[in-house]
Amino acid sequence: MASYAADLQQVCGCGWAVTGSNTEELVAKVKKHAKETHGINELPQELVQKFQKAVRPAM
Ligand SMILES: [Zn+2]
């Protein structure tokens, strides 16, 4: 059951939406997405901060 969601439009600009039961799970999914979709092996601190601002509790 997802309790957190993030709209990555503000992070990587592709509009991919991620959901997870906790923020650690979200970060893991974002890292996987960044690597597989954008070829980013190591998430830059700048993107991590943008991502953390984009995280919202999901209904
Ligand atoms: Zn993306």
Side-chain angles (χ1 to χ4, degrees):
M1 191 187 290
S3 55
Y4 288 94
D7 180 359
L8 295 193
Q9 191 133 33
Q10 298 169 40
V11 181
C12 57
C14 71
W16 188 67
V18 60
T19 57
S21 55
N22 56 54
T23 51
E24 285 79 13
E25 192 181 329
L26 287 189
V27 170
K29 286 184 178 179
V30 168
K31 283 182 178 174
K32 191 169 183 285
H33 165 78
K35 188 173 182 178
E36 292 179 352
T37 306
H38 302 292
I40 302 170
N41 287 320
E42 198 70 40
L43 215 59
Q45 195 59 37
E46 186 189 327
L47 284 190
V48 173
Q49 287 174 354
K50 283 184 181 178
F51 163 71
Q52 285 170 344
K53 285 180 188 168
V55 173
R56 299 280 182 271
M59 288 300 123

